[in-house]
Amino acid sequence: MLEINKYKNKKVAIYGMGKSGFSVAKKLNKLGASVYCWDDSQKIRNQIKKYNFNSDKFWLGNEELLIDYIVVSPGIDIFKCKIKNFLKKNLKKIITDLDIFFEINKKALIISITGTNGKSTTCKIIEKIMKKAGYKTNVGGNIGKPVLSLKPFKKRGVFILEISSYQLQYSKQFRSKHAVILNISPDHLERHKSMLNYIKIKSKILSAQKKNDYAYINSSGKYSKLIPKIVKIRSKLIKVEKNYCDFLLRKIKNKYLNKEGNHENLSFACKIVKNFKIKNST
C-alpha cells in the first residue's frame, strides 16, 4: 500500500491527454492525487472539462505551484515541446504510466515486449498460447488499452505489454519478470538522435530487472549483439535464435505466420512460454 499511498494529496501534472493521459488522470484521481491536466489541442481541452480534473494552463512552467510529479505523454518530445525549459528543470519529477502501473502491480506476472518490428504480433501469439494453457491474460500498452486501464488479476494472470521506445524513454521504475527486445533496426532517430541512444532506450526494459527475472534478446541481430555491452544485465539472459520454432513450422498453415519475419516472433513466443512450463503440444 505504501507505493499506492505515495500519490495521495500529491500534485501531479499530466502533459498530453491522449488515451494514456486520460487513463493516468483517472487512476491518480482514484489514488487521491490532485491532478492537473493539459493538452495543446483545444478540442482535447474541451473534453477534459467533462471530468473533475484541474485543466487550467497555469501549471505549465509555473514553479510556484510545486508540482510533485509530472507525467508526459509518450508522443511528446520534452526537448522540443512548448514547455521544454520547465521540463528540463524538472527531469527528476517526470514519471510514466508504466512506472505507476508497476508500483500498483509489483507482485503481478508481467511480460513486456519491445523491439523495432513484430511487437503486436508477438504479444498476440503469446496471449493465444497462455490462454490455451489456462492462464488469464491482459494485453495492453502500445497495443489496445493503456496499461492503467488494465484490470488487475485475482489469481493466475499474466499481463502482456507492448512497449515502445517513447514509453521507455522517460520511465524510471518499470520492471517486468520477462522482458523482451525482439530486434533493433534504425527507427525514430529524429527523436532519439543516434542508434546508440535508441539502443540504450530500448535496453531500459532490461536494466531494472533482478537476478531471478528473464531477459530475451535476438541472438544474431547486428544491433542486438551490442545490448549486453551497453547495459548491465542482472537477470537471466536468453538469446533467441531465429529458427528456434522450426519444430512447429511444419504444422502451421497460416500464410502470415509462415513469413520469415514471423519465424522470429514465433521463436521468441516459444522461448518465453517455455519458462512457464508450457508444453510444445499446447
Side-chain angles (χ1 to χ4, degrees), residues 19 30 187 212 227:
K19 285 198 300 182
K30 287 182 180 179
D187 198 18
N212 290 325
I227 293 171

Side-chain angles (χ1 to χ4, degrees), residues 83-99:
I83 55 166
K84 60 184 179 182
N85 293 331
F86 173 77
L87 294 176
K88 285 177 187 176
K89 287 180 184 177
N90 292 278
L91 282 175
K92 291 182 179 179
K93 294 182 179 181
I94 295 176
I95 59 173
T96 68
D97 60 342
L98 290 177
D99 297 325

Side-chain angles (χ1 to χ4, degrees), residues 251-266:
K251 297 184 179 181
I252 296 173
K253 307 301 180 185
N254 185 299
K255 290 182 180 179
Y256 174 76
L257 290 178
N258 265 314
K259 290 180 179 178
E260 187 176 349
N262 280 319
H263 292 188
E264 181 178 72
N265 299 333
L266 285 160

Side-chain angles (χ1 to χ4, degrees), residues 103-265:
E103 288 179 322
I104 295 170
N105 297 283
K106 275 188 175 176
K107 295 183 179 179
L109 260 176
I110 303 171
I111 301 172
S112 60
I113 297 174
T114 194
T116 304
N117 299 300
K119 297 185 291 295
S120 298
T121 301
T122 306
C123 284
K124 297 304 288 184
I125 293 170
I126 294 170
E127 179 191 23
K128 291 285 187 182
I129 298 170
M130 300 299 285
K131 280 186 174 180
K132 187 74 173 177
Y135 285 86
K136 291 184 178 179
T137 62
N138 254 333
V139 180
N142 205 43
I143 177 177
K145 295 180 180 179
V147 291
L148 289 176
S149 295
L150 300 175
K151 293 181 180 179
F153 296 103
K154 293 181 179 179
K155 59 180 181 178
R156 196 173 163 80
V158 181
F159 289 107
I160 305 167
L161 308 181
E162 178 185 329
I163 300 177
S164 70
S165 60
Y166 289 176
Q167 291 170 297
L168 287 168
Q169 186 173 10
Y170 308 139
S171 177
K172 291 183 171 70
Q173 301 172 50
F174 176 74
R175 177 167 62 85
S176 59
K177 181 71 176 178
H178 300 265
V180 184
I181 303 177
L182 297 173
N183 50 65
I184 294 180
S185 58
D187 198 18
H188 303 307
L189 297 188
E190 74 288 346
R191 174 152 160 180
H192 301 313
K193 308 303 180 188
S194 69
M195 278 305 297
L196 180 60
N197 282 340
Y198 183 51
I199 296 168
K200 283 180 179 178
I201 290 166
K202 285 288 189 186
S203 298
K204 285 179 75 175
I205 203 169
L206 311 178
S207 57
Q209 288 189 299
K210 297 184 178 180
K211 64 179 182 179
N212 290 325
D213 297 329
Y214 297 88
Y216 306 80
I217 65 172
N218 185 304
S219 66
S220 58
K222 174 183 174 182
Y223 296 110
S224 298
K225 289 179 179 179
L226 299 176
I227 293 171
K229 300 175 183 178
I230 291 172
V231 63
K232 185 177 181 180
I233 300 175
R234 301 175 184 84
S235 51
K236 299 170 186 175
L237 179 60
I238 298 171
K239 295 182 179 180
V240 181
E241 302 85 16
K242 191 175 184 178
N243 60 352
Y244 176 72
C245 67
D246 279 359
F247 65 95
L248 282 177
L249 289 177
R250 61 180 177 273
K251 297 184 179 181
I252 296 173
K253 307 301 180 185
N254 185 299
K255 290 182 180 179
Y256 174 76
L257 290 178
N258 265 314
K259 290 180 179 178
E260 187 176 349
N262 280 319
H263 292 188
E264 181 178 72
N265 299 333

